[in-house]
Amino acid sequence: MTPIVVANWKMQLGVAEAVQSGTTLLQLLTAKPLEATVVVCPGFISLPYLVEPLKKGPIALGAQDVFWQEKGAYTGEVSPRVLHEIGANYVIIGHSERRQLGETDTDVGRKLMASLVHHLQPIVCVGESADERAQGRQEVVVQQQLEHIFRSAPPPRHGHMIMIAYEPIWAIGTGEAADPKEAEVMRQLIQQTLRDVTPAGQLDSFRILYGGSASPENVAQYVGPDRYDGALVGGASLDPHTFYSLISACAQAH
Ligand code: PGA
């Protein structure tokens, strides 16, 4: 199984910078291909500008969020149908930075359902805060997030792939990645919870990614056979050379 490496560019790059970063990454991956599924998630405005340059290469495009309705009077929202129409194939859902702005597990479940209907492969983020971990509640928190999300979303249909990204909030953008042993405990918990909340035999539809200060230097501590299936990467994905090294480390670890 090849690792999945997802770049979350957040609101860090302008359109020209995003195109530049995407095309440089494409050049690197074309010159020296790597055994990995690579997805970049630029801001909404940059997305259509990257479709053409990345069209024939090995980089897939994803959005950083989506609305759960496909059409209607929803000022400011972005439709899953339109994302698919312009060429996005993946979408990040429930990132902690969106949750901090008020997104709930119910919203995440609706977005998950809408993205599956519209052929977007969802990357659903879960993870505990620093306080929750200090209280030893990380397992309960992540378990409840998954239970709530899947209560409002259907079980995956055949051929649908759902990625769950475990991103401890305190590790995001801090340079303080999770302890690999603790991250592994969480991966196993996520796997068990998915087994409990989805119908028998559906576990194959899931991939579990690690996110939170992942870097070329530390990513092989998380990703590999019988470990995480890939990584969701913020800061270390902005520079295409650094991101290429990180993808390479994942490919070697697998
Ligand atoms: P980071 O961000 O790699 O900069 O910690 C990860 C994320 O927010 O998805």
Side-chain angles (χ1 to χ4, degrees):
M1 204 190 294
T2 53
I4 303 161
V5 193
V6 183
N8 175 9
W9 288 346
K10 310 194 178 184
M11 206 177 70
Q12 305 286 16
L13 304 176
V15 174
E17 289 166 329
V19 172
Q20 179 66 54
S21 196
T23 34
T24 307
L25 182 64
L26 176 63
Q27 282 160 7
L28 294 168
L29 285 167
T30 311
K32 215 166 159 216
L34 295 172
E35 279 290 318
T37 299
V38 180
V39 183
V40 300
C41 302
F44 284 128
I45 308 282
S46 301
L47 251 179
Y49 292 90
L50 277 150
V51 172
E52 194 57 37
L54 300 186
K55 206 157 101 192
K56 291 212 174 70
I59 305 174
L61 277 172
Q64 296 173 15
D65 189 22
V66 65
F67 193 52
W68 56 78
Q69 296 285 359
E70 72 164 85
K71 192 179 160 89
Y74 302 103
T75 303
E77 295 292 353
V78 177
S79 153
R81 184 170 60 85
V82 174
L83 284 176
H84 188 254
E85 182 187 350
I86 63 148
N89 286 308
Y90 292 79
V91 62
I92 297 171
I93 300 173
H95 191 281
S96 64
E97 287 153 16
R98 302 244 30 106
R99 290 172 183 265
Q100 273 156 19
L101 296 174
E103 189 161 292
T104 64
D105 288 326
T106 307
D107 299 337
V108 177
R110 287 175 176 152
K111 291 178 177 192
L112 169 59
M113 193 150 65
S115 51
L116 291 175
V117 169
H118 293 280
H119 312 288
L120 297 167
Q121 304 203 56
I123 302 153
V124 178
C125 303
V126 294
E128 79 285 359
S129 67
D131 277 356
E132 287 161 344
R133 180 161 281 267
Q135 294 160 17
R137 296 186 57 238
Q138 64 276 12
E139 299 193 17
V140 179
V141 167
V142 168
Q143 207 168 0
Q144 283 178 352
Q145 284 173 336
L146 289 170
E147 284 166 3
H148 287 152
I149 292 165
F150 283 97
R151 197 178 297 150
S152 35
R157 267 190 257 148
H158 229 53
H160 277 156
M161 209 231 283
I162 299 181
M163 282 147 282
I164 305 293
Y166 170 60
E167 296 208 307
I169 299 172
W170 45 270
I172 296 176
T174 57
E176 196 195 314
D179 176 84
K181 285 204 195 74
E182 285 168 9
E184 180 54 24
V185 169
M186 295 307 283
R187 188 189 69 84
Q188 287 176 18
L189 170 95
I190 290 168
Q191 215 168 32
Q192 186 54 50
T193 310
L194 292 174
R195 218 174 259 135
D196 296 343
V197 297
T198 55
Q202 294 282 36
L203 210 61
D204 284 354
S205 314
F206 291 95
R207 299 286 181 274
I208 308 179
L209 313 183
Y210 171 76
S213 296
S215 70
E217 293 75 31
N218 69 16
V219 76
Q221 297 182 282
Y222 306 98
V223 174
D226 293 325
R227 289 187 290 147
Y228 282 89
D229 301 302
L232 175 55
V233 188
S237 73
L238 294 171
D239 174 69
H241 297 274
T242 307
F243 191 46
Y244 180 88
S245 306
L246 190 152
I247 301 165
S248 174
C250 290
Q252 278 167 36
H254 256 259

